[in-house]
Structures are given as C-alpha cells and as structure tokens.
Amino acid sequence: QVHLVDSGGGLVQPGGSLRLSCAASGNIYRINNMSWYRQAPGKERELVAAIALSGNTNYADAVKGRFTISRDNAKNTVYLQMNSLKSEDTAVYYCNAYIVVYTTKFSGSNYWGQGTQVTVSS
C-alpha cells in the first residue's frame, strides 16, 4: 500500500521561513500531480500549491511570490519552501499526490499525508 509522510512544520515568527517535505513510499509506478493543501481553524481546506510530473506549477494567489513548490522524482518527494511567512499562513498543511500503482494491474488514486502544523506568531 502507498503511504505519504509530511514533515517540517513548526513555530516561526512573522517574516520567517520553513521548508515542508512529503515523501511517498509503497508499490509506486508513477506519481502524477503532487500538491500541498492547508486548513486553518474554522476554515475550509484550500489548495496552496501544485506541481505536475512535467514540473509545471500553480499557486494560490495568497502565497504567490513567497512559497515555492518543487519535487524530486527519484525520491518520490515533494517540498514546499515557505518564505516571508505571515500569521495568516498558520494552518495544518497536508501533502496530496495522485499515484499510479501496479500490482496485477495499473491503478491510480489520490493519497493524503497526515498533516504538519505550521504556526506563525510573535
């Protein structure tokens, strides 16, 4: 079975930086889209950034120019570099990936990490 583990969250002051990581493991044939979502208290879960297998990226307007998503295909890992952090960035951040596996046939599904807490506060 496929498992995603995200990490790198913590407490940081406004203007600071954090780097999140998410590593996928299991019987993986190919990972297509990889992305980061976040959910703040009392808010809906929202897409923060996404990266395709080609390296094409998309960002939420609120994080453009501050966050950078990247991936290492050899390590089945996606990263989120977060700079110039604001209190509004405080949330639980979740990794998501669409992964194709192969056992007796090919099968693709979305998978989620367990979430990592990012707190931006003075």
Side-chain angles (χ1 to χ4, degrees):
Q1 65 276 1
V2 173
H3 189 59
L4 269 60
V5 178
D6 42 27
S7 62
L11 175 64
V12 64
Q13 293 183 333
S17 298
L18 285 173
R19 190 190 192 212
L20 307 183
S21 300
C22 175
S25 61
N27 192 21
I28 298 170
Y29 174 77
R30 186 180 70 233
I31 304 177
N32 293 347
N33 198 60
M34 304 187 80
S35 58
W36 289 95
Y37 288 74
R38 68 185 182 188
Q39 188 164 23
K43 302 292 185 179
E44 299 290 328
R45 186 173 297 188
E46 63 176 354
L47 178 66
V48 176
I51 184 167
L53 184 60
S54 65
N56 187 42
T57 59
N58 287 290
Y59 296 92
D61 288 342
V63 307
K64 284 182 179 177
R66 300 188 297 120
F67 291 10
T68 302
I69 189 170
S70 61
R71 62 190 287 170
D72 186 334
N73 294 329
K75 296 181 179 180
N76 291 326
T77 299
V78 63
Y79 306 94
L80 185 67
Q81 179 66 47
M82 305 185 295
N83 298 326
S84 302
L85 283 161
K86 307 173 181 179
S87 60
E88 304 96 284
D89 297 317
T90 296
V92 178
Y93 285 70
Y94 297 91
C95 175
N96 176 270
Y98 186 88
I99 300 174
V100 178
V101 302
Y102 181 80
T103 52
T104 58
K105 64 178 182 180
F106 291 104
S107 181
S109 298
N110 270 304
Y111 295 88
W112 290 92
Q114 81 284 357
T116 183
Q117 176 71 50
V118 172
T119 302
V120 185
S121 177
S122 299

